[in-house]
Amino acid sequence: MPRKKLISVIVPVFNEEENVERAYQAVRNTFENILNNEYRFEIIFTDNHSTDNTFQELTQIADLDSRVRVARFTRNFGFNKSLLTAYLLAKGDAAIQVDCDLQDPPELFPRFIEFWEAGHDVVIGLRKTRPEPVWLLEARKLFYRLLASISEDNLMIDGGDFRLVDRHILDSLKEIQVAAPYVRGLVSIFAKNQTGFPYERRQRQYGQSKFPLLKLFSMGIDGIVSHTTLPLRIASLLGMSLAVFTLLLMLVYVTGKLFFGMDWPDGFTTTVILVLFGIAVNAVFLGIIGEYLSRIYQQLRGHPLTVIEKGLNLEESRLAV
């Protein structure tokens, strides 16, 4: 009998006590009933130091099913570090990431696997619709298109976190060291033949979203900084343009005063506006430079990606990248 391929299902969690059992049952049902046990599977839950009963629920599940592997972190390391840790723990021939709230339906796993078996190393679920306010949907669309246009990597527009990645990408992720990872982009860097298909995203039934507007904005900044140096180039070009404009303005004033006898007004308002504008521009540019410098600092510190406080059905007790 040929060896059945192993699929690792990646599920990052934080305060999802109402959803972990449902997620486990849905994934198990997909492999045992929809896929008819044609593939082996494991489920990797990375618990970002939940403060509710999430870990207790996961402990009960892992005690009954050795295919469930759990890593609980010593603190909340953030979504992308939690996700990357799960990818690094995966043993499968491929890994599928799914949200614990089941807004991304595990029933679509067979379609991911079909594309994978056809030769695609990354298969991405493209969200046709999602239960969000119209203004947020439009903001997301605008951001994804902006990021794809300025990125130096092969990012797929409207692609979310519902994806399958091949073993060679999982192995490639182990060879790099990224202190502030943006996992969507890292996967796209190593992808050789990625594809996607549209699907309808469901409404969350239990619990609350862990991505308020501020966190979404922070992840957006991570995406831009991680995949392009264009903001630095814009800062340089705009700085040079302002310097040229200032020089020309100075020449106009000097020429008018010396050669045309112009009696310029005191210019208090103009001076104040220019000074304040210059301060604002400098503050913006220093913020952009600071974002890049902070990532360089984090990279040079060499701290662990995450630290596992408790592991269930794991061999690893500490993971550093």
Side-chain angles (χ1 to χ4, degrees):
M1 292 281 298
R3 181 185 72 90
K4 290 183 180 180
K5 294 181 179 179
L6 175 64
I7 307 296
S8 299
V9 180
I10 306 301
V11 190
V13 296
F14 177 70
N15 289 350
E16 295 285 1
E17 62 181 0
E18 297 171 306
N19 290 314
V20 288
E21 175 68 27
R22 295 174 60 249
Y24 163 70
Q25 294 294 347
V27 171
R28 179 179 174 179
N29 177 69
T30 298
F31 280 95
E32 294 182 352
N33 298 324
I34 299 178
L35 287 167
N36 298 316
N37 289 311
E38 294 178 7
Y39 296 86
R40 296 180 296 130
F41 73 94
E42 65 173 1
I43 310 176
I44 302 174
F45 289 95
T46 49
D47 179 13
N48 230 336
H49 204 76
S50 297
T51 56
D52 61 1
N53 291 321
T54 296
F55 186 69
Q56 287 77 6
E57 293 287 333
L58 291 172
T59 300
Q60 295 178 16
I61 297 171
D63 287 342
L64 297 174
D65 192 340
S66 61
R67 296 171 297 185
V68 175
R69 306 167 64 207
V70 182
R72 174 176 170 81
F73 303 141
T74 56
R75 63 177 177 83
N76 191 327
F77 285 88
F79 173 74
N80 274 288
K81 289 186 177 182
S82 173
L83 177 57
L84 182 54
T85 298
Y87 276 125
L88 298 179
L89 291 172
K91 297 179 178 179
D93 299 285
I96 301 177
Q97 178 187 342
V98 64
D99 286 348
C100 190
D101 57 18
L102 299 180
Q103 287 186 277
D104 301 325
E107 292 82 5
L108 292 177
F109 286 2
R111 193 163 186 198
F112 281 97
I113 294 174
E114 179 183 353
F115 279 107
W116 173 56
E117 293 285 18
H120 295 282
D121 57 355
V122 176
V123 185
I124 302 174
L126 305 177
R127 300 162 176 168
K128 287 197 301 184
T129 59
R130 53 191 302 163
E132 290 180 339
V134 175
W135 67 269
L136 184 55
L137 288 172
E138 294 303 318
R140 284 183 185 274
K141 290 181 180 179
L142 178 62
F143 170 76
Y144 288 140
R145 282 152 180 78
L146 172 64
L147 183 58
S149 65
I150 66 177
S151 174
E152 301 161 1
D153 304 313
N154 186 26
L155 299 177
M156 187 169 289
I157 295 177
D158 294 330
D161 292 314
F162 194 26
R163 69 167 75 85
L164 175 147
V165 299
D166 184 71
R167 179 75 246 173
H168 86 84
I169 294 179
L170 297 176
D171 291 336
S172 297
L173 291 174
K174 292 182 178 181
E175 297 175 359
I176 62 173
Q177 293 185 348
V178 183
Y182 182 68
V183 178
R184 291 186 193 180
L186 289 176
V187 169
S188 70
I189 290 174
F190 295 114
K192 299 176 183 178
N193 185 21
Q194 67 178 348
T195 189
F197 64 89
Y199 75 101
E200 300 284 346
R201 198 157 198 251
R202 296 172 175 172
Q203 181 79 36
R204 172 186 272 264
Q205 298 298 319
Y206 299 95
Q208 297 181 347
S209 172
K210 307 307 183 295
F211 293 97
L213 188 59
L214 185 60
K215 280 194 175 181
L216 291 175
F217 179 78
S218 178
M219 289 183 66
I221 294 296
D222 286 341
I224 292 174
V225 174
S226 298
H227 293 285
T228 180
T229 57
L230 184 61
L232 290 176
R233 180 64 55 85
I234 293 175
S236 299
L237 292 176
L238 190 53
M240 293 175 60
S241 300
L242 287 174
V244 171
F245 173 76
T246 303
L247 178 62
L248 291 176
L249 186 62
M250 182 185 68
L251 290 175
V252 168
Y253 273 100
V254 172
T255 302
K257 186 70 174 179
L258 296 180
F259 298 99
F260 298 97
M262 300 296 294
D263 186 18
W264 301 110
D266 294 339
F268 176 78
T269 302
T270 302
T271 302
V272 170
I273 291 176
L274 289 175
V275 169
L276 293 178
F277 179 70
I279 293 173
V281 169
N282 283 331
V284 171
F285 291 166
L286 285 174
I288 293 173
I289 295 171
E291 288 290 336
Y292 285 92
L293 287 178
S294 69
R295 281 154 178 78
I296 294 173
Y297 169 70
Q298 292 175 32
Q299 192 72 30
L300 292 176
R301 286 192 308 172
H303 283 191
L305 178 69
T306 55
V307 179
I308 299 174
E309 177 184 296
K310 295 180 181 178
L312 305 176
N313 298 327
L314 290 181
E315 298 80 16
E316 300 85 349
S317 61
R318 176 184 172 93
L319 179 64
V321 177

